[in-house]
């Protein structure tokens, strides 16, 4: 009888484990009247919030790792020179006493130099932002169209920060054009003369020349300005004027703004790397480092 009860209990436990295993394999998180709720549905609702929490954890871990390395590097330099850590700081300060610089910045420069000297690297991986799907956006492409790496710039020609940063994005294009696909789409609260001009130039296969020129101006362009640029580019002027004033093209740009907003785009510039928003779109080195990492992984 005792063994019979043990057998029943063991078999029941086995069935429970099998049941749990099957549910886990299907990623089931809830059941309502036999209607299954899978984790993918929940993840979609909370993925942005989860990412923000993960990034905060990453920042904490990064800061602690950085501080830990600072201690190691100072200790290593002190041992190498057979002096105390305080002596290293004083020596570095004396060597730079002619520079008008505060002590905190001076200390940072010392640590930065030690990072380089000892080839110290922080290898913590930054969490990846949720995918932003903009498959139906009005886009223009240059660079290596067959690349498995895509940089997407969502920006506004009349945005001062976008214009300023475009110089950096242009340097990325010049550096990676043969290895990376570069995409641009305009995003703004209203359809500007610049956006209309870029689209009209694009209909003569001159989108990038027009857009780079507009960004280089660093001030919003009016209709007279874009007409002058079109003439300087020696575009088919009648076609340009027709495309520039086309109600259809204005609607295309307006619909694109609404579509990108519905996809979650909130600010300009927004930079996507293979569809994932970059945390620091204003930091060209940050973007370059991420491109290099993917290139190294695929080589």
């Amino acid at each position: 009888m005792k063994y019979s009860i043990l057998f029943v209990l063991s078999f029941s436990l086995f069935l429970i484990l099998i049941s749990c295993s099957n549910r886990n394999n299907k990623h089931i998180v809830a059941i309502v009247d036999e209607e299954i709720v899978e984790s993918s549905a929940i993840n979609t609702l909370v993925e942005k919030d989860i990412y923000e929490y993960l990034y905060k954890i990453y920042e904490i871990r990064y800061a602690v790792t950085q501080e830990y390395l600072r201690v190691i590097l100072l200790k290593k330099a002190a041992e190498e020179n057979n002096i105390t850590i305080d002596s290293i700081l004083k020596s570095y300060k004396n060597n730079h006493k002619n520079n008008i610089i505060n002590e905190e910045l001076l200390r940072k420069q010392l640590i930065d130099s030690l990072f380089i000297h000892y080839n110290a690297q922080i290898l913590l991986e930054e969490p990846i932002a949720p995918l932003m799907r903009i498959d139906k956006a009005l886009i223009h492409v240059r660079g290596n169209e067959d690349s498995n790496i895509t940089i997407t710039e969502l920006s506004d020609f009349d945005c001062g920060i976008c214009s300023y940063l475009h110089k950096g994005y242009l340097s990325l294009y010049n550096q990676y054009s043969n290895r990376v696909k570069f995409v641009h789409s305009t995003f703004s609260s209203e359809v500007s003369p610049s956006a209309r001009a870029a689209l009209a130039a694009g209909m003569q296969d001159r989108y990038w020349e027009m857009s780079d020129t507009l960004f280089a101006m660093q001030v919003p362009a009016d209709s007279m300005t874009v007409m002058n640029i079109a003439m300087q580019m020696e575009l088919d002027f009648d076609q340009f004027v027709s495309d520039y004033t086309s109600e259809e093209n204005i609607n295309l740009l307006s619909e694109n703004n609404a579509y990108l907003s519905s996809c979650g785009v909130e600010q300009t510039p927004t930079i996507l790397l293979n569809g994932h928003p970059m945390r620091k779109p204003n930091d060209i080195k940050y973007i370059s480092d991420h491109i290099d990492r993917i290139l190294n992984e695929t080589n």
Side-chain angles (χ1 to χ4, degrees):
M1 183 68 176
K2 181 174 68 172
Y3 293 108
S4 176
I5 293 173
L6 286 173
F7 175 80
V8 171
L9 289 173
S10 299
F11 187 72
S12 299
L13 181 59
F14 174 76
L15 290 178
I16 291 170
L17 290 172
I18 290 293
S19 175
C20 291
S21 176
N22 287 338
R23 289 188 179 185
N24 287 335
N25 288 338
K26 293 180 180 178
H27 304 289
I28 298 172
V29 296
I31 297 177
V32 181
D33 272 347
E34 297 186 358
E35 181 181 341
I36 293 171
V37 180
E38 295 190 0
S39 61
S40 57
I42 304 301
N43 291 343
T44 301
L45 297 174
V46 299
E47 60 182 359
K48 190 172 182 181
D49 291 329
I50 290 173
Y51 166 71
E52 291 299 329
Y53 280 116
L54 289 175
Y55 198 86
K56 287 177 183 177
I57 292 170
Y58 164 78
E59 286 184 315
I60 293 169
R61 294 182 67 202
Y62 192 95
V64 171
T65 303
Q66 198 171 43
E67 186 57 39
Y68 189 77
L69 286 184
R70 287 191 187 110
V71 174
I72 291 176
L73 290 170
L74 286 170
K75 184 178 178 182
K76 196 174 185 67
E79 290 174 351
E80 189 175 283
N81 293 280
N82 199 27
I83 55 177
T84 64
I85 291 176
D86 286 341
S87 297
I88 290 176
L89 295 171
K90 288 176 183 176
S91 175
Y92 191 82
K93 186 177 180 180
N94 290 334
N95 290 336
H96 296 78
K97 62 184 177 182
N98 293 328
N99 295 343
I100 303 174
I101 202 165
N102 64 50
E103 192 161 332
E104 184 179 343
L105 188 54
L106 204 63
R107 181 184 175 89
K108 182 183 181 303
Q109 287 184 348
L110 168 60
I111 297 298
D112 288 345
S113 68
L114 293 178
F115 263 84
I116 295 170
H117 179 72
Y118 292 108
N119 192 30
Q121 301 175 59
I122 297 177
L123 303 178
L124 287 173
E125 290 191 9
E126 182 180 326
I128 299 173
L131 191 66
M132 183 176 284
R133 296 169 179 84
I134 57 166
D135 303 334
K136 297 178 183 177
L138 181 63
I139 64 169
H140 297 269
V141 180
R142 63 177 166 181
N144 184 346
E145 296 188 24
D146 297 321
S147 175
N148 63 345
I149 303 175
T150 301
I151 287 288
T152 303
E153 175 189 352
L154 309 174
S155 57
D156 177 4
F157 292 112
D158 294 347
C159 162
I161 295 175
C162 296
S163 294
Y164 175 77
L165 290 172
H166 188 73
K167 293 182 292 184
Y169 301 149
L170 200 54
S171 71
L172 290 175
Y173 170 73
N174 292 332
Q175 182 178 356
Y176 297 104
S177 60
N178 63 331
R179 293 177 290 171
V180 174
K181 177 180 176 181
F182 287 82
V183 173
H184 183 258
S185 187
T186 58
F187 177 67
S188 59
S189 58
E190 58 185 22
V191 177
S192 67
S194 296
R196 292 162 61 188
L199 182 59
M203 293 183 167
Q204 298 184 47
D205 296 324
R206 305 284 290 281
Y207 177 85
W208 292 102
E209 185 178 346
M210 174 63 82
S211 63
D212 289 341
T213 301
L214 291 167
F215 276 126
M217 291 175 56
Q218 297 191 9
V219 291
D222 57 20
S223 293
M224 183 65 71
T225 302
V226 299
M227 293 297 167
N228 288 333
I229 295 172
M231 286 189 287
Q232 291 170 12
M233 289 172 58
E234 298 182 351
L235 295 173
D236 181 326
F237 193 70
D238 289 338
Q239 182 186 339
F240 177 82
V241 172
S242 175
D243 292 331
Y244 177 81
T245 57
S246 164
E247 197 68 31
E248 181 182 354
N249 287 345
I250 293 172
N251 288 337
L252 275 175
L253 290 165
S254 180
E255 289 166 5
N256 189 62
N257 288 334
Y259 171 70
L260 289 175
S261 181
S262 72
C263 291
V265 182
E266 297 176 345
Q267 62 184 26
T268 55
T270 291
I271 300 296
L272 310 180
L273 175 56
N274 285 349
H276 298 277
M278 302 228 70
R279 190 81 185 190
K280 302 174 184 176
N282 301 358
D283 190 332
I284 302 303
K285 185 179 183 306
Y286 171 86
I287 299 171
S288 176
D289 287 345
H290 278 69
I291 294 173
D292 287 338
R293 178 181 56 77
I294 297 176
L295 285 171
N296 291 333
E297 287 174 356
T298 54
N299 286 341

